[in-house]
């Protein structure tokens, strides 16, 4: 199972998002400069999903400075 998050290169790089995710406890990999690749386990408790989505949103907001349109599409 892979999940890809495409980052708008005009707003941020995938590497910036990956670094923020690592600081928040989520391992990921930047690919092609604009995609953040995440490989979650097949069985994930609902609480862990809610936590991860919140951390991903927070990492993207950190990269963007907390305001404006999202860097991801």
């Amino acid at each position: 199972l892979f999940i890809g998050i495409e980052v708008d290169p005009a707003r941020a790089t995938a590497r910036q998002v990956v670094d923020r995710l690592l600081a928040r406890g989520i391992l990921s990999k930047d690919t092609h400069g604009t995609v953040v690749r995440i490989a979650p386990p097949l069985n994930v408790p609902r609480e862990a999903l809610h936590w991860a989505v919140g951390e991903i949103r927070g990492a993207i907001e950190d990269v963007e400075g907390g305001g404006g349109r999202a860097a991801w599409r």
Side-chain angles (χ1 to χ4, degrees):
L1 179 65
F2 280 113
I3 297 172
I5 302 169
E6 188 174 0
V7 178
D8 181 350
R11 299 186 127 353
T13 65
R15 170 50 62 190
Q16 290 172 306
V17 176
V18 165
D19 289 343
R20 295 296 181 139
L21 287 171
L22 181 59
R24 291 171 168 269
I26 296 177
L27 296 176
S28 58
K29 170 79 173 122
D30 60 312
T31 308
H32 305 291
T34 61
V35 177
V36 176
R37 185 186 305 167
I38 301 171
L42 293 177
N43 297 330
V44 182
R46 187 175 301 268
E47 299 80 27
L49 283 175
H50 287 290
W51 173 83
V53 168
E55 294 302 315
I56 291 168
R57 181 179 298 272
I60 292 168
E61 288 173 354
D62 287 350
V63 169
E64 288 220 312
R69 277 188 31 214
W72 51 282
R73 310 181 237 189

